[in-house]
C-alpha cells in the first residue's frame, strides 16, 4: 500500500527560500475544495500581495476551455497563487506561458528530466501531459483586481481516475522517483512567485529564451484547434507577447488562442 504524504503547511513554508517566503502573504492548505482557483478568485478579502492555496482534492477542478481537471484525493498537486492588482492587468497574454516555464524549472530543480512545454499551457513529460496551467482574472466589486495562476501536476494518479483523461498523460511516479508533494509545492511556489515578479518588469519577453529551449513543438507540423476550426501549419515558436507563430502556406500567422496537437504523417 502506497503511503500518502499529506500536505503540511509548515513543511511547505520551511521548504521556501527566504525571498519566496517574503513574497507570500499567506498559504492555505485545504482538504477538499471545489477548485483552488475559485477559492482564491472569489473567496474572502485578501491584503495586497501574493497568496497561495493547495488542496488534497478538488471536486470541480477547472481545466482550460471549460474542461474538468481530474483531481483525486491525496494523489497530485493542485495549487493556486493569487496576486492582488491595483488595476486591470495590462496584458495577460503570455502569463500562462510564464508559469509553465516556472513549473518546468521547479521540476528540473528536483532533477526531473524530459520536461517540455506545449503552447499555451501544457507541461509535458517525455511528450505526455504531466500538468497544466489555468490563469484566471476577476474584478471584485469596485475593488482591486485578482489574478490567479492555477497549477495542476500529476504526481501519482490512481489508475481508475486516470482513465477519465482524454489524452496521453504522465505522472511523476510512473516515470521518475516520486518527489514528496510538500517539497514539490515549495519548489513550484518559489518559482511561480519569482516569475510573477519578473513578469511585472519584463512581460513575456523576459521569458522567451526559457520558453524556446523547452518548446515541445517548434518546427513541427501541427494542427491548431479553435472551436470548430482546424488550421494546419508548422509551429515556428512564439513572439515577444507569447503568441504562437504558425507558418501556413509560407506566411506567419500570430495565434492568440486554441489548442495544438502534433499532425500525424499522412
Ligand atoms: C489545463 O487545462 O491544462 C489547465 C489545468 C489547470 C488545473 C489546475 S489544478 C489547480 C487549479 N485549480 C483549478 O481548478 N484548476 C487549476
Amino acid at each position: 500500500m502506497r503511503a500518502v504524504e499529506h500536505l503540511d503547511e509548515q513543511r511547505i513554508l520551511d521548504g521556501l527560500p527566504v525571498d519566496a517566503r517574503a513574497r507570500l502573504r499567506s498559504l492555505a492548505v485545504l482538504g477538499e475544495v471545489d477548485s483552488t482557483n475559485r477559492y482564491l478568485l472569489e473567496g474572502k478579502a485578501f491584503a495586497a500581495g501574493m497568496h497561495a492555496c493547495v488542496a488534497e482534492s478538488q471536486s470541480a477542478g477547472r481545466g482550460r476551455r471549460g474542461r474538468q481537471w481530474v483531481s483525486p484525493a491525496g494523489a497530485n498537486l493542485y495549487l493556486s497563487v493569487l496576486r492582488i492588482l491595483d488595476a486591470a492587468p495590462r496584458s495577460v497574454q503570455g502569463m500562462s506561458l510564464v508559469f509553465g516555464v516556472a513549473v518546468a524549472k521547479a521540476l528540473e530543480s528536483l532533477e526531473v528530466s524530459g520536461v517540455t512545454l506545449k503552447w499555451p499551457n501544457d507541461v509535458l513529460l517525455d511528450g505526455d501531459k504531466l500538468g497544466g496551467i489555468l490563469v484566471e482574472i476577476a474584478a471584485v466589486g469596485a475593488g482591486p483586481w485578482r489574478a490567479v495562476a492555477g497549477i495542476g501536476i500529476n504526481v501519482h494518479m490512481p489508475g481508475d481516475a486516470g482513465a477519465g483523461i482524454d489524452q496521453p498523460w504522465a505522472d511523476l511516479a510512473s516515470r521518475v522517483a516520486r518527489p514528496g508533494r510538500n517539497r514539490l509545492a515549495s519548489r513550484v511556489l518559489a518559482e511561480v512567485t519569482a516569475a510573477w515578479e519578473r513578469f511585472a518588469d519584463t512581460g513575456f519577453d523576459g521569458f522567451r529564451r526559457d520558453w524556446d529551449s523547452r518548446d515541445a513543438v517548434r518546427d513541427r507540423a501541427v494542427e491548431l484547434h479553435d472551436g470548430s476550426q482546424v488550421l494546419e501549419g508548422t509551429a515556428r515558436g512564439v513572439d515577444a507577447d507569447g503568441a504562437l507563430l504558425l507558418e501556413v502556406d509560407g506566411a506567419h500567422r500570430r495565434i492568440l488562442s486554441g489548442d495544438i496537437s502534433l499532425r500525424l504523417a499522412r
Side-chain angles (χ1 to χ4, degrees):
M1 198 42 195
R2 178 176 66 90
V4 173
E5 186 197 64
H6 292 290
L7 295 169
D8 180 319
E9 181 181 339
Q10 202 52 52
R11 286 182 65 188
I12 297 172
L13 291 174
D14 287 349
L16 289 177
V18 177
D19 55 348
R21 182 74 196 85
R23 280 191 292 268
L24 205 57
R25 298 291 298 267
S26 70
L27 170 66
V29 175
L30 309 169
E32 178 171 297
V33 68
D34 48 3
S35 152
T36 54
N37 269 26
R38 198 210 57 80
Y39 179 87
L40 292 178
L41 211 54
E42 297 170 23
K44 62 174 188 175
F46 289 98
M50 291 191 221
H51 301 262
C53 79
V54 56
E56 290 287 358
S57 70
Q58 300 183 115
S59 55
R62 301 173 178 174
R64 274 180 74 242
R65 301 169 82 81
R67 295 187 192 108
Q68 181 212 358
W69 187 256
V70 174
S71 309
N76 303 320
L77 189 70
Y78 320 115
L79 177 151
S80 297
V81 181
L82 164 75
R83 187 163 193 181
I84 302 287
L85 308 170
D86 297 335
R90 260 178 308 145
S91 159
V92 293
Q93 183 67 35
M95 264 168 87
S96 66
L97 282 71
V98 162
F99 298 126
V101 167
V103 169
K105 287 185 173 177
L107 291 164
E108 289 158 9
S109 76
L110 293 167
E111 292 176 1
V112 178
S113 59
V115 177
T116 54
L117 299 168
K118 182 158 77 73
W119 186 91
N121 80 319
D122 286 356
V123 180
L124 307 182
L125 181 62
D126 299 332
D128 295 333
K129 182 146 173 167
L130 176 73
I133 319 292
L134 179 67
V135 175
E136 296 184 275
I137 312 267
V140 184
W145 284 72
R146 296 182 181 196
V148 172
I151 291 141
I153 300 176
N154 300 332
V155 178
H156 191 294
M157 184 71 82
D160 50 344
I165 303 178
D166 63 355
Q167 61 182 301
W169 58 271
D171 63 8
L172 289 175
S174 60
R175 310 283 172 101
V176 291
R178 178 159 43 100
R181 289 186 303 153
N182 291 302
R183 187 149 173 253
L184 180 61
S186 302
R187 291 303 315 140
V188 170
L189 278 174
E191 293 292 345
V192 166
T193 55
W196 212 326
E197 257 186 19
R198 208 172 119 211
F199 179 73
D201 290 339
T202 67
F204 176 71
D205 203 28
F207 294 82
R208 197 166 163 195
R209 286 167 62 125
D210 289 328
W211 176 274
D212 285 348
S213 62
R214 297 173 177 86
D215 188 339
V217 296
R218 194 184 177 99
D219 298 330
R220 300 186 70 175
V222 295
E223 282 178 356
L224 175 89
H225 304 257
D226 196 4
S228 58
Q229 300 223 346
V230 181
L231 193 59
E232 295 189 348
T234 305
R236 295 295 187 205
V238 293
D239 71 7
D241 297 321
L244 173 73
L245 298 173
L246 188 67
E247 186 181 325
V248 182
D249 298 331
H252 281 181
R253 295 201 192 181
R254 267 186 101 232
I255 307 289
L256 298 174
S257 70
D259 287 324
I260 48 173
S261 56
L262 288 175
R263 210 161 80 209
L264 301 173
R266 279 177 284 210

